[in-house]
Amino acid sequence: HGSHDNNDVAVDFVVKVPAGVNFVGHTVNGGVTATDLRGDAEAVTVNGGVSVTTTGVARATTVNGDVRVVMGRLEGSGSMDFSTVNGDVDVTLPASAALNVHASTTNGGLNTDFPLTISGRFGPRSMRGTIGGGGRSLDLTTVNGSIHLRRGS
C-alpha cells in the first residue's frame, strides 16, 4: 500500500487451441498473437499489435499497433474488417480470393499483390475495387500507417 516502486508487472497468457476450435482474444493494454490456428480467429486490443495466422477466417483490430493477418480461407458472407489508427495493416489472403475491397489510409501508402479492378477513383491513399470478380467485402483502414494486401499460396 502506498508504494509505487518496482511494481511493473507483465503477464503473458499462452493458450493452446485444439484444431478446428475458434479463438477469440481481447485485451486493452497489450498485444494479441495467435499463430498456427486451424479455426476462425478474432483478435482485438486497444494498445498493442495484433497478429493472427490461421487456416480459417480472421478478424483483427487495434487502435495503437500493427495488424498482421494471414488467412487460409474466406468462407462466409459478412464483411471482413481489419483496422488500426496508428500502425500498418498487412493482410495475406488465399490466391483464389474473390472480394470487394475498400482500403484507405490518411498518412501512408497502399500496396496490393492482387490484380484489382478499380471502381471509381484510385488514389495514393484510397482504393475501391474487386479481386477475382468480387464477392465478400474486405475493408482495410488505418490513419497513420500503410496497407499491404498480399497474395498467399
Side-chain angles (χ1 to χ4, degrees):
H1 295 272
S3 175
H4 299 286
D5 295 330
N6 299 319
N7 63 354
D8 293 337
V9 177
V11 178
D12 290 328
F13 293 98
V14 176
V15 179
K16 295 186 184 255
V17 180
V21 173
N22 295 344
F23 170 80
V24 177
H26 290 224
T27 187
V28 175
N29 292 311
V32 177
T33 301
T35 58
D36 300 325
L37 298 174
R38 292 191 198 152
D40 294 347
E42 176 179 305
V44 178
T45 187
V46 176
N47 295 306
V50 176
S51 180
V52 177
T53 304
T54 182
T55 59
V57 178
R59 177 179 173 267
T61 62
T62 186
V63 175
N64 297 305
D66 293 336
V67 172
R68 302 201 184 284
V69 174
V70 177
M71 285 190 292
R73 60 182 161 75
L74 301 173
E75 284 106 16
S77 59
S79 176
M80 294 183 297
D81 302 314
F82 301 99
S83 65
T84 184
V85 175
N86 297 305
D88 293 340
V89 175
D90 191 312
V91 177
T92 302
L93 303 172
S96 61
L99 300 163
N100 296 324
V101 178
H102 176 249
S104 66
T105 180
T106 303
N107 299 303
L110 303 171
N111 298 291
T112 181
D113 292 344
F114 289 93
L116 189 71
T117 302
I118 301 300
S119 303
R121 300 179 71 196
F122 179 90
R125 306 241 185 315
S126 178
M127 67 178 170
R128 184 177 299 274
T130 58
I131 294 172
R136 190 171 184 182
S137 294
L138 173 65
D139 293 311
L140 310 166
T141 58
T142 183
V143 176
N144 298 307
S146 294
I147 295 173
H148 305 278
L149 185 55
R150 301 182 195 279
R151 182 193 311 227
S153 55

